[in-house]
Amino acid sequence: MERREGFWSGFGVGTMVGAAAGLGAWLAMSGRASSYDSRVLRLEKSVQIGRPVEEVFALWSNLAQLPQRLRVVKNVDVRSQHSDWRVWIDGKEFSFDAETTQRLPNEAIGWKSVSGPKHSGRITFARLANVTLVHVSMNYSQPL
């Protein structure tokens, strides 16, 4: 059981990477983030999770179950390569539709929004012995 609990705490840290990206997008939308005359905000974060890459990838790629793991994600409806998201960030609800643009088993997941706040990103998974390095990069286009 201890091994399983360590997995969920590691997964929780990894999922916070995604929440941080969402918070950064919200800050940009609300005008609270500074930028250097650019409408595109790039967010990046890496985290090491003490579990094999196959387990970490399997959990991240099961979008419909993310609301059970992340408080910020309220609902994800998945239809093939498309998904409808409802998230809560800083007490505000955001909805968007996304398309999975890349899915390389145990290596990467890429996406782009097709409605709602404009963003795209990629999560990569790298095997480091018996642990996984997760790297999230996200681009958010601020409204005019």
Side-chain angles (χ1 to χ4, degrees):
M1 187 66 155
E2 178 180 301
R3 183 178 163 138
R4 194 77 173 144
E5 289 172 3
F7 169 74
W8 287 118
S9 64
F11 181 75
V13 169
T15 55
M16 291 310 294
V17 171
L23 180 58
W26 177 80
L27 289 171
M29 284 177 31
S30 68
R32 295 182 188 180
S34 63
S35 181
Y36 54 91
D37 283 347
S38 176
R39 289 189 350 98
V40 177
L41 177 66
R42 181 162 180 90
L43 306 161
E44 291 194 55
K45 181 72 175 169
S46 295
V47 65
Q48 185 174 319
I49 299 175
R51 300 300 297 170
V53 70
E54 295 82 7
E55 289 182 40
V56 177
F57 181 85
L59 285 169
W60 276 92
S61 60
N62 189 346
L63 301 178
Q65 296 226 355
L66 286 179
Q68 298 171 12
R69 310 269 184 248
L70 293 171
R71 287 186 288 193
V72 70
V73 178
K74 295 303 174 190
N75 189 52
V76 181
D77 291 322
V78 180
R79 299 173 326 282
S80 184
Q81 298 298 346
H82 293 272
S83 52
D84 299 323
W85 292 71
R86 201 176 86 228
V87 298
W88 284 88
I89 300 172
D90 196 33
K92 296 183 182 184
E93 181 176 320
F94 296 91
S95 296
F96 62 91
D97 296 330
E99 176 184 349
T100 301
T101 57
Q102 180 182 51
R103 189 176 195 286
L104 301 172
N106 303 322
E107 292 182 28
I109 300 170
W111 77 91
K112 68 177 181 178
S113 63
V114 293
S115 73
K118 296 293 181 194
H119 63 281
S120 63
R122 187 169 193 245
I123 302 173
T124 58
F125 306 84
R127 184 184 319 269
L128 299 173
N130 292 326
V131 302
T132 303
L133 179 65
V134 177
H135 181 80
V136 178
S137 58
M138 181 176 158
N139 298 306
Y140 169 73
S141 179
Q142 300 178 53
L144 290 173

